Amino acid sequence: MFELAPRLLAVLDTGAPVVVATAVSMTGSAPSGVGTSMAVLPGGQVVGTISGGCVEGSLFLTAEQVLETGEPALERFGFDDDPDDPDAVWAPALRCGGRVEVLVHRVTPDDHLLVGALRDAAAGLPTSLALSLEPGTLAAVVTAPDGCRDRVFVERSDHRPRCVVVGAVETAVAVTNAAAVLGYAVTVIDPRPVFLTDERFPAADERIVGWPTRVLEGVHVDGTTAVVVLSHDDRFDAEVIDQALRRGAGYVGAMGSRATHDRRLAELHALGTPDLDRLRSPIGLDIGARTPAEMAVAITAEVIAVRRGAAGGALTDGSGPIHRRAARTP
């Protein structure tokens, strides 16, 4: 639900209710993870997804009923072939063979605890919400989860990860747009105010005009931070990379040719930069990208691969489950 917070709040702030469907349990192969949500807004507009199309039609019908009655529902999708759960009723809707339970409940502007949690999530603040899945109390906020621990779903939202883009070049515009769609709080840094404008970078949370090495010193960097160096400027590129690696940024990538990369490496070795094996340069996955938009896809795809610990190759060349399980507390 928290990934939809801005869209939900835009409706709730008008005084209208919304219906949210959230995956609260998932086993086997499935295209998304626990906590993934879709919502039905006034007028029947759907945002978000649970399974990429397998169960959304059925959930839409359930959501219409929940919107009208206010009574939450716990829907189950999959196949009823589990010998340990012979009494379960599962709708055979997941073509990938997995099973999923989905909580469908109505949220109104008067649900102050829920709305408050949504506001915190939209602001990038850590927040959590506990919902009871017990019959008769579905979607009721649990204040003492120890009392029914086995049937409580806790959704958490950590702080928004940050993407720091250095260099207000045209590719940076596309990278900023793509990173914002992925949920990153984007900071763009460039010493040239003529290029770093609101009009060019409307998706950026911060546009900071200044010398990149000095600006980066005041920007929070941690293991969730992606630092994307697109500036092609020998005056500060190596020092920015050095600082990002020393401060433990989760992803550090730099644009440039292989000759530029070799030249930077020599500078970085001279600086005594640690963890040079973590530097992604030349930046991006090899997808044959040519245009700024294509390069943004290659770069953000590599950011995702590094974050997930994936090799970034073609799925057709691999084997086993295609959906990686993220480490997530239910």
Side-chain angles (χ1 to χ4, degrees), residues 97-118:
R99 307 202 320 184
V100 59
E101 287 183 287
V102 182
L103 174 64
V104 186
H105 62 106
R106 186 173 67 182
V107 181
T108 71
D110 296 329
D111 294 328
H112 300 299
L113 196 54
L114 281 167
V115 174
L118 287 171

Side-chain angles (χ1 to χ4, degrees), residues 27-116:
T27 58
S29 180
S32 58
V34 171
T36 305
S37 297
M38 65 171 273
V40 178
L41 309 182
Q45 182 185 7
V46 176
V47 295
T49 184
I50 297 291
S51 69
C54 295
V55 304
E56 278 72 8
S58 178
L59 287 173
F60 180 82
L61 297 177
T62 301
E64 288 187 315
Q65 296 174 357
V66 170
L67 178 63
E68 181 179 350
T69 66
E71 293 295 324
L74 188 62
E75 299 282 16
R76 309 171 108 179
F77 300 94
F79 293 90
D80 56 355
D81 57 357
D82 184 355
D84 296 326
D85 194 12
D87 297 323
V89 178
W90 299 84
L94 285 183
R95 299 179 183 90
C96 52
R99 307 202 320 184
V100 59
E101 287 183 287
V102 182
L103 174 64
V104 186
H105 62 106
R106 186 173 67 182
V107 181
T108 71
D110 296 329
D111 294 328
H112 300 299
L113 196 54
L114 281 167
V115 174

